[in-house]
Amino acid sequence: MFGRKHLWLPGFLRRRAVSAARLQKGIDWLRKPAGWMDRHSHNRLRILVSGPARFIAYLTCSVMALSWPPLELLPFFTSFSAGAVAMIMYGLMVRDGAYTLAGYVQSALLYVILLSVWAGIV
């Protein structure tokens, strides 16, 4: 979001290590879903993943993440919301606006549900 070229991590995270066997087990587990996503991601709806639309996606994900701490009281809300963020970001990463659009739809549905629950409480 701030134009960084690399991921910044605090020192205590950079010093952590994972054994090769454990890392290989994780990679093997991820191959099937990653392969499916690779086969089904294409150059679609580029307008949603380029130019100013990228900033809108970053802003949407940031606002959603900032809403999570108080919403931890609602079961599964933040997990489903994180799924929407993952869809939006995956769409940006592979330049497939269909995934980004799916993330926007998922997040909109979640917040509509949240508003209806909140309206029922108030």
Side-chain angles (χ1 to χ4, degrees), residues 15-59:
R15 289 187 292 274
R16 294 200 46 127
V18 176
S19 71
R22 190 170 188 162
L23 181 62
Q24 188 61 48
K25 184 178 178 181
I27 290 170
D28 292 342
W29 186 85
L30 287 171
R31 281 194 194 282
K32 190 172 184 176
W36 186 91
M37 291 182 83
D38 283 344
R39 285 190 304 278
H40 291 89
S41 53
H42 306 287
N43 196 8
R44 302 175 282 201
L45 300 172
R46 286 290 301 251
I47 194 163
L48 294 176
V49 293
S50 58
R54 290 181 70 81
F55 180 76
I56 293 169
Y58 295 147
L59 188 62

Side-chain angles (χ1 to χ4, degrees), residues 85-86 103:
V85 168

Side-chain angles (χ1 to χ4, degrees), residues 88-112:
I88 293 169
M89 287 297 136
Y90 181 75
L92 288 177
M93 184 176 68
V94 298
R95 293 179 179 86
D96 187 345
Y99 282 100
T100 302
L101 181 61
Y104 285 144
V105 169
Q106 183 179 350
S107 62
L109 289 173
L110 285 167
Y111 283 92
V112 164

